[in-house]
Amino acid sequence: MDTLFTHIENARRDENAPLAARMRPTTLEGFVGQAKAVGPGSWLRRAIEHDTLSSVILYGPAGTGKTTLARIIANSTHAEFVEVSAVTGTVKDLRREIDAAKSRLLSLGRRTILFVDEIHRFNRGQQDALLHAVEDRTVVLIGATTENPYFEVNSALISRSRVVELTALDDDSIRELLRRAVADERGLAAAFELSPEAEDEIVTLAGGDGRAALTSLELASQMVDEKDDGSPATITREHVLEANPRRGLTYDKSGDMHYDIISAFIKSMRGSDPDAMLYWLARMLDAGEDPKFIARRIMICASEDVGNADPQALLVAHAAFRATEVIGMPECRINLAQAATYIALAPKSNAAEAGIDAALEEVRRGPRREVPNHLRDRHRPGSDEYGPYLYPHNYPTGWVEQRYLPEGLERGCFYHPSGRGWEAWREEAVGRERSEAGE
């Protein structure tokens, strides 16, 4: 039960809390952004307003409001709200809370909402411990995670919950958070004013992260000398940059952002857009991605997407990989950029990749096909009856008509040249050579 001392303790805690924590809204009306996830008419909003929430996994980048939504639910529900740490919590902790929830439900008829922040940090055993309690609604689970729950959360737990995705906040939402924090008594209490240039800089630095935006604002305010006359001091762009000397965009080398950005990098090379490729390359390098991982992807792209339209591409990519191994960062960024730019500008062909995949499909699903007799090894008794093998170098053009495929397969069944670059030139040359040989 709250007492006078409780209110005093809370007030002191709030005074020393970060700006982002002090500005955390307690109602849906104060919640900024995420119209699709929790806007009017959405399932989650109706469930919160009517206090009929069932288990839910809140999934989205940092600073998008997952924990804030959990706190709003805590303030609006008639159920008992319990939080367990996914970092320090154990199976024993979970079972204790589940037992308490069961007792609360049976003796008082009161539901329990269990909030687990960063639920993906729970191991398999901890997640399994929640299954039966969630299934029979002993607890209503609110899990929050920055990682894709379909990969990181037990599939059985996912099937018993609803996944709600939150997205990075748009610029207008970030601006609303900043202006509210400048004016609100819980925030800067109008002791400062934020210049338009400073606001723009914070919005850019935040990258859709509301918590990061408020932290930048708080740090920048600490750089400002307050005026003697009590009028609001101005936070300038220079104050923001002084407080935030280096911008750090979100990037988790084991999470979704890692896969999204490497995918964009590869597709930009394939799509022959060197500017886009360089941007995604820079995002990875700036975030500390392993340069050898990037070099391996460039080598794969050299064969998969350029192939024999420009055979030099694989040599360039391999040279960049070796340079990355020998030189390392930061200098190998230049080798990676050179190789990736070459791949982006090279003529494209996926004939090699498509050809081997088609041949593998035939090998795995087609009938067993025998090696033509004239191609079989001659170092065995009875090989004289195999029939003559025609040695191409004995012919003027270096080519002679001869079956190399097993019976049932015909030339052109796997390899389809692109009609671009060296591959197209060689296809034309081979055609001329065969014509001259009298095919």
Side-chain angles (χ1 to χ4, degrees):
M1 186 174 99
D2 286 350
T3 65
L4 175 61
F5 296 105
T6 305
H7 289 298
I8 293 173
E9 289 173 359
N10 290 337
R12 288 177 178 171
R13 189 182 300 112
D14 290 343
E15 286 176 6
N16 292 285
L19 178 62
R22 300 200 307 271
M23 290 305 301
R24 179 168 280 152
T26 57
T27 65
L28 286 173
E29 286 67 30
F31 190 76
V32 173
Q34 310 302 344
K36 182 177 179 182
V38 74
S42 66
W43 168 82
L44 184 55
R45 190 182 190 96
R46 289 197 302 268
I48 294 172
E49 290 175 340
H50 298 135
D51 200 12
T52 56
L53 190 71
S54 57
S55 292
V56 61
I57 304 293
L58 302 175
Y59 159 49
T64 53
K66 301 183 295 297
T67 303
T68 296
L69 275 177
R71 300 281 181 242
I72 289 172
I73 292 168
N75 290 330
S76 61
T77 185
H78 294 295
E80 187 75 14
F81 189 89
V82 178
E83 183 173 352
V84 172
S85 170
V87 177
T88 61
T90 64
V91 172
K92 183 178 180 180
D93 294 329
L94 285 175
R95 287 176 176 159
R96 183 183 65 248
E97 294 298 346
I98 290 170
D99 288 342
K102 188 179 296 183
S103 175
R104 197 177 293 120
L105 185 65
L106 293 176
S107 61
L108 303 175
R110 190 178 185 188
R111 298 180 307 136
T112 298
I113 294 177
L114 176 64
F115 175 54
V116 182
D117 200 7
E118 299 298 328
I119 191 172
H120 63 275
R121 293 180 181 271
F122 268 166
N123 61 34
R124 185 67 60 179
Q126 289 168 308
Q127 292 186 27
D128 285 345
L130 288 167
L131 285 178
H132 292 301
V134 171
E135 185 171 30
D136 62 17
R137 291 204 176 180
T138 300
V139 299
V140 173
L141 172 68
I142 302 177
T145 176
T146 55
E147 302 296 330
N148 191 327
Y150 295 103
F151 296 140
E152 302 295 338
V153 177
N154 187 324
S155 59
L157 201 55
I158 287 286
S159 70
R160 292 162 172 79
S161 310
R162 178 158 179 166
V163 175
V164 174
E165 183 172 1
L166 278 65
T167 57
L169 297 179
D170 59 30
D171 289 355
D172 289 341
S173 295
I174 296 291
R175 292 181 195 280
E176 184 177 345
L177 286 176
L178 292 173
R179 293 167 186 174
R180 183 185 295 177
V182 169
D184 198 292
E185 286 296 324
R186 295 172 300 161
L188 301 185
F192 302 88
E193 59 183 20
L194 189 63
S195 73
E197 296 78 15
E199 183 180 278
D200 290 342
E201 188 64 32
I202 293 176
V203 169
T204 300
L205 287 168
D209 184 330
R211 186 188 302 111
L214 293 173
T215 300
S216 293
L217 174 63
E218 183 175 27
L219 293 174
S221 71
Q222 295 167 0
M223 301 293 108
V224 183
D225 294 326
E226 296 187 28
K227 294 183 178 180
D228 295 334
D229 61 4
S231 61
T234 301
I235 301 172
T236 66
R237 181 174 182 271
E238 287 67 33
H239 293 132
V240 174
L241 293 175
E242 185 180 359
N244 300 271
R246 186 181 184 280
R247 180 187 181 193
L249 292 175
T250 303
Y251 188 87
D252 182 345
K253 286 189 280 185
S254 63
D256 284 354
M257 190 65 72
H258 161 84
Y259 295 106
D260 286 346
I261 290 182
I262 192 63
S263 176
F265 172 67
I266 293 166
K267 288 170 182 172
S268 297
M269 283 193 292
R270 181 183 298 142
S272 303
D273 190 330
D275 295 296
M277 174 279 299
L278 287 169
Y279 175 79
W280 299 120
L281 175 60
R283 283 283 298 271
M284 290 187 287
L285 293 175
D286 185 67
E289 181 60 82
D290 181 359
K292 292 193 292 294
F293 168 77
I294 300 172
R296 285 192 290 270
R297 302 311 305 179
I298 295 173
M299 274 206 291
I300 294 168
C301 194
S303 288
E304 182 179 359
D305 295 307
V306 176
N308 288 321
D310 185 352
Q312 184 79 4
L314 182 56
L315 302 180
V316 171
H318 181 262
F321 182 80
R322 290 292 300 130
T324 298
E325 284 188 316
V326 173
I327 298 172
M329 284 292 286
E331 288 82 0
C332 76
R333 76 190 189 284
I334 307 168
N335 308 114
L336 293 172
Q338 179 186 355
T341 302
Y342 189 100
I343 302 301
L345 296 175
K348 302 299 190 292
S349 170
N350 70 341
E353 181 264 344
I356 186 59
D357 286 351
L360 284 169
E361 181 72 8
E362 165 60 30
V363 167
R364 291 165 180 164
R365 298 184 182 277
R368 181 174 180 269
R369 302 184 190 275
E370 300 294 340
V371 176
N373 281 342
H374 58 280
L375 299 183
R376 296 175 68 185
D377 177 58
R378 300 283 171 163
H379 298 89
R380 60 163 66 97
S383 60
D384 292 342
E385 300 178 3
Y386 288 169
Y389 164 65
L390 305 180
Y391 188 55
H393 295 292
N394 289 340
Y395 297 83
T397 62
W399 180 86
V400 62
E401 176 61 37
Q402 184 169 223
R403 170 172 279 278
Y404 294 97
L405 282 164
E407 292 295 332
L409 298 174
E410 300 301 328
R411 186 180 296 150
C413 56
F414 303 128
Y415 175 62
H416 303 283
S418 65
R420 292 180 289 278
W422 183 88
E423 191 170 47
W425 174 77
R426 277 306 302 155
E427 183 67 13
E428 292 176 5
V430 168
R432 287 194 302 271
E433 291 164 2
R434 289 176 178 174
S435 295
E436 293 170 5
E439 181 182 1

